[in-house]
Amino acid sequence: MVGLHLSSVVVLAAGLGSRFGGLKQLAPVGANGAAIMDVLVERAAVAGFERAVIVVSPDTTGPVRSHLEAMGETRIPVALAVQPCQLGTADAVLAARDAVDGS
């Protein structure tokens, strides 16, 4: 819809979790084994965000996409933004810029 601006939350999830021992964003922490990413998206929806943009790396795109597909429908739409090279937090935020239309 032209002119529609949604408030988006940006979730930085491009790290490989090497110190953590695996993909931290997919670690089960919530009720019924919800992953950290699931909890963040749910809390963003409750807080009034209308969309989530999850920044992933080329290496984490597949597992995160598979997780989202297995999860099914979420309370708010979720889009993935790929950060081609991990050059820090500011670069991760910039990777989301084309997926965010609004605040």
Side-chain angles (χ1 to χ4, degrees), residues 16-29:
L16 294 174
S18 54
R19 290 184 302 249
F20 181 74
L23 295 178
K24 184 174 20 179
Q25 58 273 28
L26 298 180
V29 296

Side-chain angles (χ1 to χ4, degrees), residues 1-8 51 53 96-103:
M1 185 179 264
V2 177
L4 178 66
H5 296 285
L6 302 175
S7 61
S8 300
R51 186 166 188 261
V53 176
R97 74 181 171 269
D98 291 337
V100 174
D101 179 29
S103 58

Side-chain angles (χ1 to χ4, degrees), residues 20-85:
F20 181 74
L23 295 178
K24 184 174 20 179
Q25 58 273 28
L26 298 180
V29 296
N32 302 317
I36 290 173
M37 184 174 58
D38 305 336
V39 173
L40 291 173
V41 170
E42 175 65 20
R43 288 182 180 176
V46 169
F49 287 94
E50 300 166 286
R51 186 166 188 261
V53 176
I54 300 173
V55 179
V56 294
S57 72
D59 293 331
T60 61
T61 301
V64 170
R65 189 179 309 281
S66 294
H67 173 80
L68 290 170
E69 288 171 0
M71 207 173 85
E73 192 172 321
T74 56
R75 285 181 66 165
I76 56 176
V78 176
L80 295 183
V82 180
Q83 180 186 12
C85 301

